[in-house]
Amino acid sequence: MNSTQLLSLAEVRALAKSVLVSAGMDDHGSDVIADIVMCSERDGPRSHGLRNLPFYVQSFTSGYANAAATPTIERIAPGVLRGDGDNGYYQIAANMAREDLIALARQNGIAAFTCANCHHLGALRFDTEPLAEAGLVALAVVNSLSLVVPHGGLRPVFGTNPMSFACPREGGAPVVWDQASSTVALMDIKMAAAEGRALPQPAGLDAQGHPTADPEAILETQSLLPFGAHKGAAIAFLIEVLGAALAGGTLSVDNEQRKEHGALNIKGGATLIAIDPTRFGNVAFDDYISRICSEIEGNDDARVPGDGRLKKRVEAEAKGVAVSKDLLAQLKTMMSQG
Ligand code: NDP
């Protein structure tokens, strides 16, 4: 039985735009988010592509997020831009700030954009990649709803708190990777539960507080383990500080408003740091990146982190992407109810 339909990337983008507009999102915001949805279907992670649209829509229809956000951005220190997302999606504010952030990084060597009062449901790779394409090194963090227990603890404190790193690579696409602070992403746990299979490794706690690979048990406790034991928990801590504390966003543990609206994400905080390597005094910076990458490539099965997206991109651009017919039906129903 054919349970998928092939869509071109233009069709994916048009579908995402229509779903968002039917949910009440304004023209500009829906353009920004439709682009991210299309890029996620193209490069991965596809869990953050069309499958994510119902969560965007839910955030508007429940009155939790602002579908017509007008973010504001203020320069509050020589290298610091501070944003207020107007309760809309972070990427709208980040798009507005990008040009100034790049200019400030080139001027000062380093600059940062922080944003509070904003939502983030996407992959962070799309926040850093444009900066690396402009020749900068970039680091992005955002805090999210509390699901990750501190190492040795029983109660979630951190979000799945993702981070992304990107740097330019001479003669090729930038190196760009992003990852959550949990061992396994929530979406993957949900998928394993739906398919009735155990996870490859313990990724959360059961009701007795023991590590388990049973996805149903983890979904019941909503308690995920950080990746790499205490080391991942420390990274989640760093992201909570650089994301929520620095920007003034909601802490991952402060979930009340989100729960009230039944939303998946919190109104958190995000920070994007841009570094101009040409202002740091090492004229051979590009050679260092090339050398690191060449030591990884051809090293048995190793590959440069994040390069998987480039292969997926070529394939998706040439052939389109196969989308579940059930998901397409769900999105069409949402549009007709909009
Ligand atoms: P993965 O573990 O799937 O991948 C992490 C990174 O490693 C990716 O950049 C991936 O890129 C790369 N990678 C994967 N396998 C290899 C390999 N064998 N060798 C080298 N590199 C590899 O990601 P997560 O499950 O941790 O996170 C999934 C997504 O969820 C991320 O995009 C993240 O930004 C997003 N997220 C967003 C949240 C939010 O609040 N907005 C919250 C949490 C997560 P590639 O495979 O393309 O090379």
Side-chain angles (χ1 to χ4, degrees):
M1 199 179 76
N2 181 11
S3 58
T4 61
Q5 186 178 326
L6 208 57
L7 296 191
S8 70
L9 293 175
E11 287 169 329
V12 168
R13 206 284 181 187
L15 175 60
K17 170 89 183 171
S18 300
V19 170
L20 292 163
V21 169
S22 329
M25 197 174 194
D26 69 6
D27 192 48
H28 175 64
S30 56
D31 272 337
V32 173
I33 300 299
D35 281 342
I36 290 164
V37 167
M38 184 274 285
C39 288
S40 299
E41 290 289 337
R42 186 193 64 187
D43 297 359
R46 293 194 64 195
S47 53
H48 289 66
L50 292 171
R51 282 189 199 102
N52 224 4
L53 281 172
F55 298 111
Y56 283 104
V57 168
Q58 195 279 343
S59 72
F60 300 135
T61 51
S62 67
Y64 182 48
N66 182 358
T70 310
T72 48
I73 296 161
E74 216 187 330
R75 186 176 173 189
I76 56 167
V80 181
L81 295 171
R82 180 175 172 78
D84 181 310
D86 190 26
N87 192 26
Y89 278 89
Y90 165 80
Q91 293 91 343
I92 300 166
N95 275 12
M96 271 176 71
R98 187 171 301 132
E99 214 176 288
D100 287 345
L101 180 65
I102 291 172
L104 288 182
R106 289 192 176 135
Q107 196 178 317
N108 299 313
I110 182 163
F113 167 61
T114 68
C115 194
N117 195 21
C118 62
H119 303 264
H120 203 307
L121 275 174
L124 265 67
R125 60 187 68 178
F126 307 114
D127 301 338
T128 55
E129 189 165 27
L131 297 181
E133 281 167 346
L136 305 176
V137 176
L139 180 70
V141 297
V142 57
N143 76 311
S144 56
L145 70 135
S146 65
L147 281 170
V148 174
V149 296
H151 183 60
L154 290 175
R155 223 173 355 97
V157 171
F158 307 118
T160 48
N161 291 6
M163 70 187 292
S164 176
F165 174 85
C167 66
R169 171 169 37 186
E170 205 173 25
V175 177
V176 185
W177 54 260
D178 60 346
Q179 62 189 27
S181 292
S182 50
T183 308
V184 178
L186 181 65
M187 288 296 195
D188 290 331
I189 296 174
K190 285 188 172 171
M191 213 181 293
E195 291 168 6
R197 60 178 165 83
L199 296 160
Q201 58 184 317
L205 300 178
D206 64 18
Q208 286 70 46
H210 299 129
T212 178
D214 176 356
E216 296 284 3
I218 300 170
L219 290 177
E220 199 183 312
T221 60
Q222 295 280 301
S223 296
L224 276 59
L225 292 171
F227 75 86
H230 59 286
K231 299 182 189 187
I235 297 293
F237 184 102
L238 174 151
I239 293 167
E240 202 68 34
V241 173
L242 287 185
L246 210 56
T250 310
L251 284 171
S252 296
V253 279
D254 291 334
N255 269 312
E256 293 77 14
Q257 210 196 0
R258 171 187 78 81
K259 282 186 183 152
E260 203 178 291
H261 288 89
L264 185 72
N265 60 317
I266 55 156
K267 209 184 293 176
T271 291
L272 179 59
I273 298 171
I275 297 168
D276 182 353
T278 66
R279 302 298 299 271
F280 277 68
N282 177 16
V283 292
F285 175 82
D286 288 339
D287 298 339
Y288 277 59
I289 305 299
S290 302
R291 177 78 203 288
I292 299 165
C293 292
S294 69
E295 287 291 333
I296 297 172
E297 284 157 352
N299 188 336
D300 204 12
D301 286 338
R303 61 176 171 81
V304 174
D307 271 7
R309 80 189 195 289
L310 300 173
K311 202 171 151 207
K312 288 177 202 147
R313 185 178 295 179
V314 170
E315 203 168 315
E317 281 171 347
K319 298 184 191 157
V321 289
V323 180
S324 142
K325 284 185 179 170
D326 287 347
L327 175 62
L328 287 175
Q330 185 191 354
L331 297 177
K332 279 180 188 147
T333 306
M334 280 164 48
M335 279 196 281
S336 64
Q337 289 168 347

mmCIF file of all heavy atoms in Angstrom, residues 45 48 120-125 144 160 162 177-180 185 303 305-309 312, ligand 1:
data_model
loop_
_atom_site.group_PDB
_atom_site.id
_atom_site.type_symbol
_atom_site.label_atom_id
_atom_site.label_comp_id
_atom_site.label_asym_id
_atom_site.label_seq_id
_atom_site.Cartn_x
_atom_site.Cartn_y
_atom_site.Cartn_z
ATOM 1 N N PRO A 45 16.081 17.953 10.607
ATOM 2 C CA PRO A 45 15.347 16.769 11.009
ATOM 3 C C PRO A 45 13.886 16.860 10.567
ATOM 4 O O PRO A 45 13.236 17.861 10.840
ATOM 5 C CB PRO A 45 15.445 16.796 12.548
ATOM 6 C CG PRO A 45 15.616 18.239 12.890
ATOM 7 C CD PRO A 45 16.295 18.903 11.720
ATOM 8 N N HIS A 48 10.901 17.961 12.554
ATOM 9 C CA HIS A 48 10.652 19.386 12.763
ATOM 10 C C HIS A 48 10.129 20.061 11.484
ATOM 11 O O HIS A 48 10.127 21.275 11.374
ATOM 12 C CB HIS A 48 11.937 20.091 13.237
ATOM 13 C CG HIS A 48 12.305 19.710 14.640
ATOM 14 N ND1 HIS A 48 12.676 18.425 14.968
ATOM 15 C CD2 HIS A 48 12.325 20.420 15.783
ATOM 16 C CE1 HIS A 48 12.923 18.370 16.264
ATOM 17 N NE2 HIS A 48 12.717 19.563 16.782
ATOM 18 N N HIS A 120 10.081 28.695 20.324
ATOM 19 C CA HIS A 120 10.968 28.031 19.362
ATOM 20 C C HIS A 120 10.539 26.584 19.238
ATOM 21 O O HIS A 120 10.564 25.849 20.216
ATOM 22 C CB HIS A 120 12.422 28.114 19.843
ATOM 23 C CG HIS A 120 13.433 27.978 18.747
ATOM 24 N ND1 HIS A 120 13.424 26.914 17.864
ATOM 25 C CD2 HIS A 120 14.475 28.753 18.378
ATOM 26 C CE1 HIS A 120 14.434 27.072 17.004
ATOM 27 N NE2 HIS A 120 15.079 28.176 17.284
ATOM 28 N N LEU A 121 10.118 26.204 18.050
ATOM 29 C CA LEU A 121 9.716 24.803 17.837
ATOM 30 C C LEU A 121 10.579 24.141 16.767
ATOM 31 O O LEU A 121 10.322 23.011 16.388
ATOM 32 C CB LEU A 121 8.245 24.741 17.396
ATOM 33 C CG LEU A 121 7.161 24.739 18.476
ATOM 34 C CD1 LEU A 121 5.776 24.816 17.835
ATOM 35 C CD2 LEU A 121 7.247 23.514 19.364
ATOM 36 N N GLY A 122 11.580 24.867 16.285
ATOM 37 C CA GLY A 122 12.322 24.366 15.129
ATOM 38 C C GLY A 122 13.685 23.790 15.482
ATOM 39 O O GLY A 122 14.085 23.713 16.650
ATOM 40 N N ALA A 123 14.400 23.375 14.447
ATOM 41 C CA ALA A 123 15.780 22.913 14.594
ATOM 42 C C ALA A 123 16.686 24.154 14.628
ATOM 43 O O ALA A 123 16.478 25.096 13.861
ATOM 44 C CB ALA A 123 16.146 22.021 13.429
ATOM 45 N N LEU A 124 17.688 24.123 15.479
ATOM 46 C CA LEU A 124 18.532 25.315 15.652
ATOM 47 C C LEU A 124 19.545 25.516 14.530
ATOM 48 O O LEU A 124 20.129 26.597 14.398
ATOM 49 C CB LEU A 124 19.267 25.256 17.004
ATOM 50 C CG LEU A 124 18.537 26.007 18.119
ATOM 51 C CD1 LEU A 124 17.236 25.316 18.467
ATOM 52 C CD2 LEU A 124 19.409 26.157 19.334
ATOM 53 N N ARG A 125 19.750 24.474 13.723
ATOM 54 C CA ARG A 125 20.747 24.590 12.641
ATOM 55 C C ARG A 125 20.428 25.753 11.701
ATOM 56 O O ARG A 125 21.321 26.352 11.127
ATOM 57 C CB ARG A 125 20.831 23.271 11.864
ATOM 58 C CG ARG A 125 19.534 22.847 11.222
ATOM 59 C CD ARG A 125 19.611 21.457 10.613
ATOM 60 N NE ARG A 125 19.750 20.416 11.618
ATOM 61 C CZ ARG A 125 19.805 19.123 11.357
ATOM 62 N NH1 ARG A 125 19.762 18.705 10.095
ATOM 63 N NH2 ARG A 125 19.912 18.236 12.314
ATOM 64 N N SER A 144 13.931 25.029 26.605
ATOM 65 C CA SER A 144 12.609 24.523 26.204
ATOM 66 C C SER A 144 11.932 23.901 27.420
ATOM 67 O O SER A 144 12.470 23.920 28.517
ATOM 68 C CB SER A 144 12.782 23.527 25.059
ATOM 69 O OG SER A 144 13.650 22.495 25.440
ATOM 70 N N THR A 160 14.773 20.050 26.889
ATOM 71 C CA THR A 160 15.634 19.244 26.018
ATOM 72 C C THR A 160 16.674 20.175 25.381
ATOM 73 O O THR A 160 17.449 19.763 24.524
ATOM 74 C CB THR A 160 14.821 18.510 24.924
ATOM 75 O OG1 THR A 160 13.939 19.457 24.316
ATOM 76 C CG2 THR A 160 14.026 17.370 25.502
ATOM 77 N N PRO A 162 18.292 22.564 23.216
ATOM 78 C CA PRO A 162 19.194 22.318 22.094
ATOM 79 C C PRO A 162 20.260 23.406 21.924
ATOM 80 O O PRO A 162 20.087 24.537 22.412
ATOM 81 C CB PRO A 162 18.248 22.346 20.889
ATOM 82 C CG PRO A 162 17.166 23.278 21.307
ATOM 83 C CD PRO A 162 17.025 23.186 22.798
ATOM 84 N N TRP A 177 26.079 21.916 12.956
ATOM 85 C CA TRP A 177 25.396 20.811 13.652
ATOM 86 C C TRP A 177 24.519 21.357 14.766
ATOM 87 O O TRP A 177 24.721 22.483 15.226
ATOM 88 C CB TRP A 177 26.384 19.762 14.180
ATOM 89 C CG TRP A 177 27.493 20.260 15.069
ATOM 90 C CD1 TRP A 177 28.786 20.494 14.681
ATOM 91 C CD2 TRP A 177 27.432 20.584 16.476
ATOM 92 N NE1 TRP A 177 29.518 20.936 15.766
ATOM 93 C CE2 TRP A 177 28.716 20.994 16.868
ATOM 94 C CE3 TRP A 177 26.426 20.559 17.435
ATOM 95 C CZ2 TRP A 177 29.023 21.383 18.178
ATOM 96 C CZ3 TRP A 177 26.719 20.945 18.739
ATOM 97 C CH2 TRP A 177 28.011 21.343 19.095
ATOM 98 N N ASP A 178 23.542 20.577 15.145
ATOM 99 C CA ASP A 178 22.692 20.948 16.276
ATOM 100 C C ASP A 178 22.237 19.697 16.995
ATOM 101 O O ASP A 178 22.150 18.620 16.399
ATOM 102 C CB ASP A 178 21.504 21.813 15.839
ATOM 103 C CG ASP A 178 20.580 21.138 14.848
ATOM 104 O OD1 ASP A 178 20.957 20.098 14.265
ATOM 105 O OD2 ASP A 178 19.474 21.646 14.649
ATOM 106 N N GLN A 179 21.981 19.814 18.268
ATOM 107 C CA GLN A 179 21.607 18.639 19.060
ATOM 108 C C GLN A 179 20.850 19.049 20.304
ATOM 109 O O GLN A 179 21.017 20.154 20.818
ATOM 110 C CB GLN A 179 22.859 17.852 19.463
ATOM 111 C CG GLN A 179 23.800 18.647 20.339
ATOM 112 C CD GLN A 179 25.147 17.953 20.559
ATOM 113 O OE1 GLN A 179 25.604 17.169 19.730
ATOM 114 N NE2 GLN A 179 25.780 18.255 21.676
ATOM 115 N N ALA A 180 20.007 18.117 20.782
ATOM 116 C CA ALA A 180 19.273 18.325 22.029
ATOM 117 C C ALA A 180 20.164 17.932 23.211
ATOM 118 O O ALA A 180 21.197 17.280 23.033
ATOM 119 C CB ALA A 180 18.020 17.464 22.019
ATOM 120 N N ALA A 185 15.655 12.467 21.420
ATOM 121 C CA ALA A 185 14.663 13.539 21.281
ATOM 122 C C ALA A 185 13.269 13.001 21.624
ATOM 123 O O ALA A 185 12.967 11.828 21.370
ATOM 124 C CB ALA A 185 14.686 14.075 19.848
ATOM 125 N N ARG A 303 32.312 10.998 10.185
ATOM 126 C CA ARG A 303 32.009 12.087 9.248
ATOM 127 C C ARG A 303 31.900 13.392 10.025
ATOM 128 O O ARG A 303 31.654 13.406 11.230
ATOM 129 C CB ARG A 303 30.756 11.802 8.454
ATOM 130 C CG ARG A 303 29.476 11.641 9.266
ATOM 131 C CD ARG A 303 28.303 11.456 8.293
ATOM 132 N NE ARG A 303 27.068 11.087 8.923
ATOM 133 C CZ ARG A 303 26.239 11.946 9.513
ATOM 134 N NH1 ARG A 303 26.568 13.223 9.607
ATOM 135 N NH2 ARG A 303 25.108 11.539 10.053
ATOM 136 N N PRO A 305 30.449 16.395 11.757
ATOM 137 C CA PRO A 305 29.106 16.503 12.312
ATOM 138 C C PRO A 305 28.227 17.438 11.490
ATOM 139 O O PRO A 305 28.641 18.541 11.136
ATOM 140 C CB PRO A 305 29.329 17.048 13.733
ATOM 141 C CG PRO A 305 30.725 17.567 13.752
ATOM 142 C CD PRO A 305 31.488 16.804 12.709
ATOM 143 N N GLY A 306 27.026 16.963 11.181
ATOM 144 C CA GLY A 306 26.059 17.795 10.462
ATOM 145 C C GLY A 306 26.144 17.690 8.950
ATOM 146 O O GLY A 306 25.246 18.175 8.256
ATOM 147 N N ASP A 307 27.169 17.030 8.421
ATOM 148 C CA ASP A 307 27.284 16.950 6.958
ATOM 149 C C ASP A 307 26.217 16.054 6.339
ATOM 150 O O ASP A 307 25.985 16.120 5.115
ATOM 151 C CB ASP A 307 28.680 16.454 6.544
ATOM 152 C CG ASP A 307 29.657 17.617 6.393
ATOM 153 O OD1 ASP A 307 29.271 18.756 6.739
ATOM 154 O OD2 ASP A 307 30.796 17.385 5.936
ATOM 155 N N GLY A 308 25.565 15.248 7.170
ATOM 156 C CA GLY A 308 24.479 14.407 6.656
ATOM 157 C C GLY A 308 23.418 15.250 5.969
ATOM 158 O O GLY A 308 22.782 14.810 5.011
ATOM 159 N N ARG A 309 23.252 16.485 6.442
ATOM 160 C CA ARG A 309 22.204 17.353 5.874
ATOM 161 C C ARG A 309 22.474 17.685 4.409
ATOM 162 O O ARG A 309 21.540 17.901 3.633
ATOM 163 C CB ARG A 309 22.081 18.643 6.704
ATOM 164 C CG ARG A 309 23.136 19.691 6.389
ATOM 165 C CD ARG A 309 23.128 20.836 7.366
ATOM 166 N NE ARG A 309 23.884 21.996 6.874
ATOM 167 C CZ ARG A 309 25.207 22.071 6.745
ATOM 168 N NH1 ARG A 309 25.979 21.038 7.077
ATOM 169 N NH2 ARG A 309 25.780 23.157 6.276
ATOM 170 N N LYS A 312 21.253 14.890 2.177
ATOM 171 C CA LYS A 312 19.774 14.894 2.147
ATOM 172 C C LYS A 312 19.279 16.052 1.285
ATOM 173 O O LYS A 312 18.298 15.936 0.559
ATOM 174 C CB LYS A 312 19.222 15.060 3.568
ATOM 175 C CG LYS A 312 19.392 13.846 4.441
ATOM 176 C CD LYS A 312 18.878 14.120 5.850
ATOM 177 C CE LYS A 312 19.496 13.166 6.850
ATOM 178 N NZ LYS A 312 19.698 13.751 8.165
HETATM 179 P P1 NDP B 1 20.613 14.049 16.449
HETATM 180 O O1 NDP B 1 21.187 13.245 17.545
HETATM 181 O O2 NDP B 1 19.748 13.371 15.451
HETATM 182 O O3 NDP B 1 21.780 14.774 15.624
HETATM 183 C C1 NDP B 1 22.658 15.664 16.256
HETATM 184 C C2 NDP B 1 23.630 16.256 15.268
HETATM 185 O O4 NDP B 1 24.633 15.287 14.961
HETATM 186 C C3 NDP B 1 23.035 16.679 13.933
HETATM 187 O O5 NDP B 1 23.620 17.876 13.513
HETATM 188 C C4 NDP B 1 23.364 15.518 12.997
HETATM 189 O O6 NDP B 1 23.410 16.013 11.673
HETATM 190 C C5 NDP B 1 24.707 15.079 13.532
HETATM 191 N N1 NDP B 1 24.962 13.631 13.396
HETATM 192 C C6 NDP B 1 24.101 12.604 13.526
HETATM 193 N N2 NDP B 1 24.730 11.435 13.380
HETATM 194 C C7 NDP B 1 26.021 11.736 13.144
HETATM 195 C C8 NDP B 1 27.186 10.943 12.896
HETATM 196 N N3 NDP B 1 27.135 9.616 12.838
HETATM 197 N N4 NDP B 1 28.366 11.583 12.699
HETATM 198 C C9 NDP B 1 28.445 12.915 12.746
HETATM 199 N N5 NDP B 1 27.369 13.721 12.952
HETATM 200 C C10 NDP B 1 26.181 13.129 13.155
HETATM 201 O O7 NDP B 1 19.817 15.316 17.045
HETATM 202 P P2 NDP B 1 18.915 15.426 18.348
HETATM 203 O O8 NDP B 1 17.972 14.276 18.366
HETATM 204 O O9 NDP B 1 19.753 15.659 19.539
HETATM 205 O O10 NDP B 1 18.104 16.780 18.024
HETATM 206 C C11 NDP B 1 17.150 16.776 16.980
HETATM 207 C C12 NDP B 1 16.763 18.185 16.575
HETATM 208 O O11 NDP B 1 15.832 18.726 17.476
HETATM 209 C C13 NDP B 1 17.876 19.221 16.445
HETATM 210 O O12 NDP B 1 17.755 19.780 15.154
HETATM 211 C C14 NDP B 1 17.559 20.265 17.504
HETATM 212 O O13 NDP B 1 17.906 21.588 17.117
HETATM 213 C C15 NDP B 1 16.057 20.116 17.628
HETATM 214 N N6 NDP B 1 15.528 20.500 18.941
HETATM 215 C C16 NDP B 1 14.788 21.661 19.038
HETATM 216 C C17 NDP B 1 14.229 22.033 20.253
HETATM 217 C C18 NDP B 1 13.492 23.317 20.389
HETATM 218 O O14 NDP B 1 13.071 23.631 21.494
HETATM 219 N N7 NDP B 1 13.314 24.089 19.351
HETATM 220 C C19 NDP B 1 14.387 21.182 21.451
HETATM 221 C C20 NDP B 1 15.230 20.029 21.238
HETATM 222 C C21 NDP B 1 15.745 19.691 20.016
HETATM 223 P P3 NDP B 1 23.408 15.128 10.337
HETATM 224 O O15 NDP B 1 22.800 13.801 10.667
HETATM 225 O O16 NDP B 1 22.632 15.908 9.340
HETATM 226 O O17 NDP B 1 24.857 14.988 9.975
#
